[in-house]
Amino acid sequence: MLLPQPIHRAILSKIDNTQIVGLCDVDKSKIKIVATKYGVKDYFLNYDEMLDKVEADCCIVCSPNNLHKEHAIKALNKKLHVLVEKPLARS
C-alpha cells in the first residue's frame, strides 16, 4: 500500500492482511512523523523513487488534483492496483 491519507491510514490499519509499505509527501518532517506513528519503515519525498523501491500490490493516490493523472498512470505502469481520490483529473 502506498501513499494513503489520514483517513485511509486509520481504516487500513484495522484490516487484516493489509500493510502500508510506503508513504510519500514533499514535507519531510510531516512524512517522518506519519511513518513513525503507523510503523511504516519506508517513506519518501519523491513519488517516482517510492514506486521504484517499494514492493506493493496497490497504490492510493491522494496527491494534489493536478497530479492525480500523472501519479495514477505511473502506478498503473508499475502494474499496481490504483485507487484515485476524486477528481481523477482536472480535465
Side-chain angles (χ1 to χ4, degrees):
M1 188 69 56
L2 309 170
L3 202 66
Q5 287 292 346
I7 187 67
H8 297 119
R9 289 188 299 268
I11 293 167
L12 293 169
S13 67
K14 296 177 183 179
I15 299 174
D16 291 336
N17 300 319
T18 300
Q19 180 181 10
I20 301 170
V21 295
L23 296 170
C24 183
D25 197 293
V26 295
D27 184 334
K28 185 176 184 177
S29 60
K30 175 183 168 185
I31 197 66
K32 185 175 182 177
I33 290 168
V34 172
T36 300
K37 179 178 179 179
Y38 288 94
V40 179
K41 185 178 97 173
D42 295 316
Y43 59 91
F44 302 87
L45 301 175
N46 180 282
Y47 184 74
D48 294 321
E49 181 183 5
M50 179 182 68
L51 289 179
D52 286 340
K53 291 187 177 180
V54 174
E55 281 191 43
D57 297 317
C58 63
C59 178
I60 300 175
V61 176
C62 305
S63 50
N65 295 346
N66 63 316
L67 296 173
H68 282 183
K69 178 181 173 185
E70 175 187 344
H71 286 173
I73 290 171
K74 286 179 178 185
L76 289 166
N77 285 336
K78 294 287 186 178
K79 308 295 187 218
L80 298 173
H81 299 276
V82 178
L83 173 70
V84 182
E85 293 259 303
K86 291 194 305 184
L88 181 59
R90 290 178 52 168
S91 61

